[in-house]
């Protein structure tokens, strides 16, 4: 049994992951800005505060905290919030772990497939590829660098570059369930995805099997916006129209953030599979039928 601290533990992934870890007899501690339950402890990056009681005797930190990439338009202020909510929180944890001389068995951090940039082409991106020279690439690179500093304390670091997480409540899938299902823009952009249960199982594997390094946390089946929405329409029995929502409308509504809707890459899942993970939901059809 391990003591595991989760940041962002009250979010979609954090709630499900906490339950899975507790079911496996691990002790889970949540760092929260507004603690409500007995296993939740306060932290606040604006005042560089973490309740030290949460950190004592901890074995692993799973760092999921971060302002939603697609929650609001990307103003310059919002862009800085997106970066700070990931980087400053990791820095705060590093400083406190160092100060309290806590010998973690591992630091496990979320990242995003946005690391490879908002690009649509035939290349299948792997973990060894470089970060893109755009906002999302910059966010992910800074995020991952903040996580990698734990390795200077001989703490193993694991990073999961995650695609769109499919869940039965909330998240991207809810927003896609419109009365008439359509692709976005050209519909040719790829949409890397993963079922919530597979993502959480990979986090559990990172803890229990001492998984170390950078891994793409995406399902092995590639889909474009067009093939994804077609499969979704079939699954929820709603009408599908293959003409995409025009790009100029999305740019008008979402501004610069429209890039993440209009562009997307094929991402390889081979490394995590070679490291012993077998996907429960390897096809979109199977994932949607479950959800």
């Amino acid at each position: 049994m391990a003591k595991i601290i989760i940041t962002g533990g009250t979010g979609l992934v954090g709630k499900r992951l906490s339950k899975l870890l507790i079911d496996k007899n691990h002790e889970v501690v949540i760092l929260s800005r507004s603690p409500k339950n007995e296993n939740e402890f306060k932290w606040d990056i604006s005042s560089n505060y973490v309740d030290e009681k949460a950190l004592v005797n901890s074995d692993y930190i799973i760092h999921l905290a971060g302002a939603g990439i697609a929650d609001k338009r990307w103003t310059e202020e919002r862009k800085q919030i997106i970066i700070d909510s990931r980087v400053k929180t990791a820095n705060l944890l590093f400083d406190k772990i160092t100060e309290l001389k806590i010998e973690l068995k591992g630091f496990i951090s979320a990242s995003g497939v946005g690391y490879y940039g908002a690009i649509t082409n035939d290349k299948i991106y792997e973990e060894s590829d470089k970060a893109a020279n755009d906002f999302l690439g910059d966010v992910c690179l800074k995020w991952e660098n903040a996580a990698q500093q734990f390795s200077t304390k001989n703490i193993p670091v694991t990073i999961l570059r995650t695609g769109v997480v499919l869940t039965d409540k909330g998240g991207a899938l809810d927003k896609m369930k419109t009365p008439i299902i359509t692709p976005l823009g050209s519909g040719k952009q790829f949409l890397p995805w993963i079922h919530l249960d597979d993502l959480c199982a990979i986090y559990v594997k990172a803890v229990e099997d001492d998984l170390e390094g950078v891994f793409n946390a995406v399902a092995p089946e590639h889909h474009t916006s067009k093939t994804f929405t077609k499969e979704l329409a079939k699954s929820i029995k709603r009408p599908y129209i293959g003409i995409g929502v025009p790009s100029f409308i999305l740019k008008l509504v979402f501004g610069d953030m429209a890039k993440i809707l209009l562009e997307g890459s094929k991402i390889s899942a081979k490394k995590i599979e070679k490291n012993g993970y077998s996907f429960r939901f390897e096809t979109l059809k199977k994932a949607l039928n479950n959800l």
Side-chain angles (χ1 to χ4, degrees):
M1 187 186 90
K3 179 180 176 182
I4 301 160
I5 296 168
I6 301 181
T7 73
T10 56
L12 277 174
V13 177
K15 282 180 183 174
R16 179 73 177 136
L17 179 56
S18 297
K19 185 180 185 308
L20 283 178
L21 289 167
I22 291 166
D23 287 347
K24 285 176 157 281
N25 295 318
H26 296 294
E27 180 187 351
V28 173
V29 169
I30 306 291
L31 292 182
S32 171
R33 286 172 296 179
S34 307
K36 294 186 178 76
N37 301 311
E38 60 179 20
N39 72 327
E40 294 179 5
F41 292 82
K42 187 170 179 62
W43 77 327
D44 182 6
I45 58 167
S46 63
S47 57
N48 267 357
Y49 175 79
V50 181
D51 188 334
E52 293 182 0
K53 293 194 293 292
L55 302 178
V56 174
N57 297 323
S58 53
D59 296 304
Y60 295 89
I61 294 177
I62 298 178
H63 185 38
L64 304 176
I69 293 284
D71 286 358
K72 296 180 181 178
R73 283 176 74 103
W74 288 352
T75 62
E76 289 308 307
E77 182 186 10
R78 181 63 184 174
K79 285 181 176 180
Q80 198 57 52
I81 288 169
I82 287 169
I83 293 170
D84 289 349
S85 62
R86 289 159 170 76
V87 174
K88 285 190 174 180
T89 46
N91 291 343
L92 174 58
L93 291 168
F94 180 76
D95 291 343
K96 291 298 178 182
I97 289 297
T98 303
E99 181 188 322
L100 298 172
K101 295 183 170 62
I102 292 170
E103 296 181 4
L104 290 175
K105 293 177 182 174
F107 184 84
I108 303 161
S109 178
S111 182
V113 295
Y115 179 92
Y116 306 106
I119 303 163
T120 304
N121 55 31
D122 287 329
K123 177 178 169 62
I124 300 176
Y125 288 85
E126 298 181 344
E127 290 83 352
S128 55
D129 285 306
K130 291 181 180 178
N133 185 26
D134 61 11
F135 173 62
L136 284 183
D138 186 48
V139 169
C140 293
L141 187 61
K142 287 175 178 173
W143 195 359
E144 294 185 16
N145 286 343
Q148 291 291 4
Q149 66 187 319
F150 283 81
S151 63
T152 65
K153 298 288 180 187
N154 293 318
I155 295 168
V157 172
T158 310
I159 291 169
L160 301 183
R161 293 178 184 154
T162 309
V164 174
V165 181
L166 304 186
T167 172
D168 57 350
K169 290 175 186 170
L173 204 54
D174 263 4
K175 294 172 184 173
M176 294 180 193
K177 292 177 186 176
T178 49
I180 296 172
I181 310 291
T182 64
L184 300 177
S186 70
K188 294 177 182 177
Q189 69 275 31
F190 290 93
L191 202 161
W193 61 275
I194 187 167
H195 189 293
L196 176 65
D197 285 355
D198 275 320
L199 177 59
C200 290
I202 293 172
Y203 275 106
V204 173
K205 181 177 175 64
V207 169
E208 296 186 338
D209 294 355
D210 295 320
L211 203 61
E212 185 178 354
V214 179
F215 298 88
N216 292 328
V218 295
E221 187 180 69
H222 303 302
H223 275 276
T224 62
S225 176
K226 190 167 279 187
T227 62
F228 188 104
T229 49
K230 194 177 282 187
E231 192 67 58
L232 174 62
K234 196 188 299 179
S235 176
I236 60 175
K237 296 179 173 59
R238 288 189 188 171
Y240 170 81
I241 295 177
I243 301 167
V245 178
S247 300
F248 77 89
I249 291 178
L250 294 170
K251 288 174 183 174
L252 199 64
V253 174
F254 296 107
D256 199 27
M257 195 180 80
K259 285 177 186 173
I260 63 172
L261 303 174
L262 295 169
E263 302 291 343
S265 310
K266 283 194 274 193
I267 310 294
S268 172
K270 285 182 179 175
K271 186 178 177 184
I272 191 68
E273 290 182 307
K274 283 178 183 173
N275 277 265
Y277 186 71
S278 180
F279 282 87
R280 186 178 160 200
F281 302 100
E282 72 279 8
T283 68
L284 183 59
K285 183 177 181 179
K286 195 182 283 190
L288 292 175
N289 285 346
N290 173 261
L291 295 169

